[in-house]
């Protein structure tokens, strides 16, 4: 049920921080201030009538960024004054779960993080809303809702790592599922460490052919004087060669078998020599990463 649009003063609005389901984004506030300064009218607040110290007020369910922008403009002496009135839509949710849902849907189209979504889904569950009802009212699938809420079983540090995009929500959740909430953060930190630390790639020798004189020669995938420093990827997850690389190897082996002379030497054109070197480097990187990942996993399991 919804009343006609109201006109309210800023003082009549009551801000409950826990109802701002999306953290205040300073850039969005700045955009709103610019828009209001250029004549754009603020969108109506979504409010719920309430009593605060026996005084009738309007609790804000939606419009927290607008409230911050207007407050700052008044303090700066721009656009609005303390006597300005603003549009507000009064709503009368039948329970707290419905109020949370209204706040969630009144989000001005701004994307929320997976943790912010998770907290909303958890609040709806705690207020007794059934999963299928959350699905129907938010448009998110059962798996998205359940997987998001699972993240909240992690400790504050793990949740912050996800919020800071230092580890993906999927990987963090996998650590919770596999190792439990108490150890998930340790595995996450080790995973991040492996993916961000510098890794020196040592040269790998392989048998090839000098294309200039068509003689067997010992070639290095990397010269010692030009050892590259890269960043390890994959974290604690062990790697396998991509199917494309495996297909390349099979094709190369078949080709090399046709290039063996009577003395057992393999004669390859330069293009094939480069392919051998590239594949040797891929194998080296895979083996080096897996050794590091296994060492880290063993240390965490002790």
């Amino acid at each position: 049920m919804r009343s006609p649009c109201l006109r309210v003063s800023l003082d009549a609005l009551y801000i409950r921080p826990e109802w701002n389901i999306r953290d205040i984004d300073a850039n969005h506030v700045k955009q709103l201030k610019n828009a209001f300064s250029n004549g754009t009218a603020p969108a109506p607040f979504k409010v719920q009538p309430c009593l605060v110290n026996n005084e009738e007020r309007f609790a804000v369910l939606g419009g927290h960024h607008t409230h911050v922008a207007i407050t700052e403009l008044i303090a700066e002496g721009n656009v609005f004054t303390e006597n300005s009135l603003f549009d507000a839509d009064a709503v009368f949710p039948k329970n707290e779960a419905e109020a949370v849902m209204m706040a969630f849907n009144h989000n001005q189209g701004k994307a929320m993080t997976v943790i912010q979504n998770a907290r909303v889904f958890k609040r709806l569950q705690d207020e007794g809303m059934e999963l299928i009802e959350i699905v129907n009212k938010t448009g998110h699938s059962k798996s998205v809702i359940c997987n998001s809420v699972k993240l909240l079983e992690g400790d504050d540090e793990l949740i912050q790592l996800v919020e800071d995009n230092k580890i993906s929500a999927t990987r963090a959740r996998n650590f919770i599922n596999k190792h439990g909430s108490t150890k998930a953060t340790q595995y996450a930190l080790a995973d991040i460490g492996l993916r961000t630390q510098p890794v020196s790639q040592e040269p790998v020798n392989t048998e090839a052919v000098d294309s200039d004189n068509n003689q067997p020669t010992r070639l290095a995938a990397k010269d010692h004087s030009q050892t590259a420093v890269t960043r390890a990827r994959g974290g604690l997850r062990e790697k396998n060669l991509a199917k494309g690389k495996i297909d390349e190897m099979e094709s190369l082996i078949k080709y090399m078998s046709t290039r063996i002379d009577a003395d057992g030497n393999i004669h390859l054109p330069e293009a094939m020599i480069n392919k051998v070197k590239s594949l040797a480097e891929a194998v080296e990187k895979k083996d080096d990463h897996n050794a590091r990942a296994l060492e880290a996993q063993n240390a965490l399991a002790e």
Side-chain angles (χ1 to χ4, degrees), residues 75-90:
E76 294 165 5
N78 296 320
V79 188
F80 307 113
T81 70
E82 293 180 354
N83 297 319
S84 296
L85 297 178
F86 305 95
D87 290 341
D89 291 333

Side-chain angles (χ1 to χ4, degrees), residues 1 12-22 24 44-50 57-67 88-108 112 120 123:
M1 178 177 170
L13 299 176
Y14 175 54
I15 297 295
R16 296 177 292 181
E18 68 274 13
W19 282 94
N20 182 26
I21 61 176
R22 181 165 57 90
I24 294 296
F45 290 98
K46 189 173 288 293
V47 298
Q48 179 182 12
C50 65
R57 300 281 293 279
F58 296 95
V60 175
L61 295 183
H64 290 82
H65 283 79
T66 298
H67 186 275
D89 291 333
V91 294
F92 302 89
K94 61 185 179 183
N95 53 40
E96 286 293 281
E98 187 173 287
V100 173
M101 186 59 64
M102 288 179 177
F104 179 76
N105 289 330
H106 185 84
N107 198 35
Q108 299 176 312
M112 290 170 62
V120 170
R123 285 176 69 178

Side-chain angles (χ1 to χ4, degrees), residues 21-65:
I21 61 176
R22 181 165 57 90
D23 293 340
I24 294 296
D25 181 340
N27 288 330
H28 184 39
V29 170
K30 183 177 180 181
Q31 291 169 348
L32 290 173
K33 290 173 67 176
N34 287 337
F36 300 157
S37 297
N38 290 321
T40 300
F45 290 98
K46 189 173 288 293
V47 298
Q48 179 182 12
C50 65
L51 289 177
V52 180
N53 297 325
N54 293 320
E55 180 184 354
E56 186 174 330
R57 300 281 293 279
F58 296 95
V60 175
L61 295 183
H64 290 82
H65 283 79

Side-chain angles (χ1 to χ4, degrees), residues 66-250:
T66 298
H67 186 275
V68 173
I70 291 173
T71 301
E72 290 186 3
L73 286 170
I74 291 176
E76 294 165 5
N78 296 320
V79 188
F80 307 113
T81 70
E82 293 180 354
N83 297 319
S84 296
L85 297 178
F86 305 95
D87 290 341
D89 291 333
V91 294
F92 302 89
K94 61 185 179 183
N95 53 40
E96 286 293 281
E98 187 173 287
V100 173
M101 186 59 64
M102 288 179 177
F104 179 76
N105 289 330
H106 185 84
N107 198 35
Q108 299 176 312
K110 294 291 182 179
M112 290 170 62
T113 69
V114 65
I115 296 297
Q116 290 169 350
N117 277 335
R119 288 174 176 146
V120 170
F121 299 149
K122 182 68 165 58
R123 285 176 69 178
L124 293 172
Q125 290 179 343
D126 290 345
E127 291 297 336
M129 187 173 284
E130 297 293 331
L131 178 60
I132 188 62
E133 191 176 1
I134 300 175
V135 169
N136 291 337
K137 291 193 173 183
T138 65
H140 290 282
S141 67
K142 289 182 180 179
S143 60
V144 166
I145 293 168
C146 293
N147 288 338
S148 299
V149 172
K150 185 71 179 180
L151 289 169
L152 299 182
E153 294 180 15
D155 61 20
D156 291 344
E157 185 174 11
L158 181 64
I159 289 173
Q160 193 60 51
L161 291 174
V162 175
E163 283 281 70
D164 293 341
N165 292 319
K166 291 182 178 178
I167 189 168
S168 71
T170 298
R171 189 162 288 191
R173 185 175 58 251
N174 287 343
F175 287 138
I176 293 172
N177 288 332
K178 188 172 182 179
H179 305 290
S181 349
T182 56
K183 294 201 72 175
T185 301
Q186 297 175 43
Y187 278 85
L189 291 171
D191 184 80
I192 293 168
L194 279 176
R195 285 188 286 109
T196 56
Q197 69 183 33
V199 178
S200 295
Q201 299 295 336
E202 296 300 326
V204 175
N205 292 321
T206 185
E207 191 75 24
V209 172
D210 184 337
S211 59
D212 291 333
N213 56 27
N214 210 32
Q215 294 296 316
T217 183
R218 204 72 176 163
L219 294 177
K222 283 186 178 291
D223 187 283
H224 279 278
S225 63
Q226 298 179 340
T227 299
V229 176
T230 62
R231 294 283 176 180
R233 296 185 180 182
L236 291 175
R237 185 183 302 160
E238 292 184 56
K239 293 181 179 179
N240 292 314
L241 288 177
K243 184 178 183 301
K245 292 292 184 184
I246 294 174
D247 290 343
E248 276 188 54
M249 286 185 176
E250 291 180 352

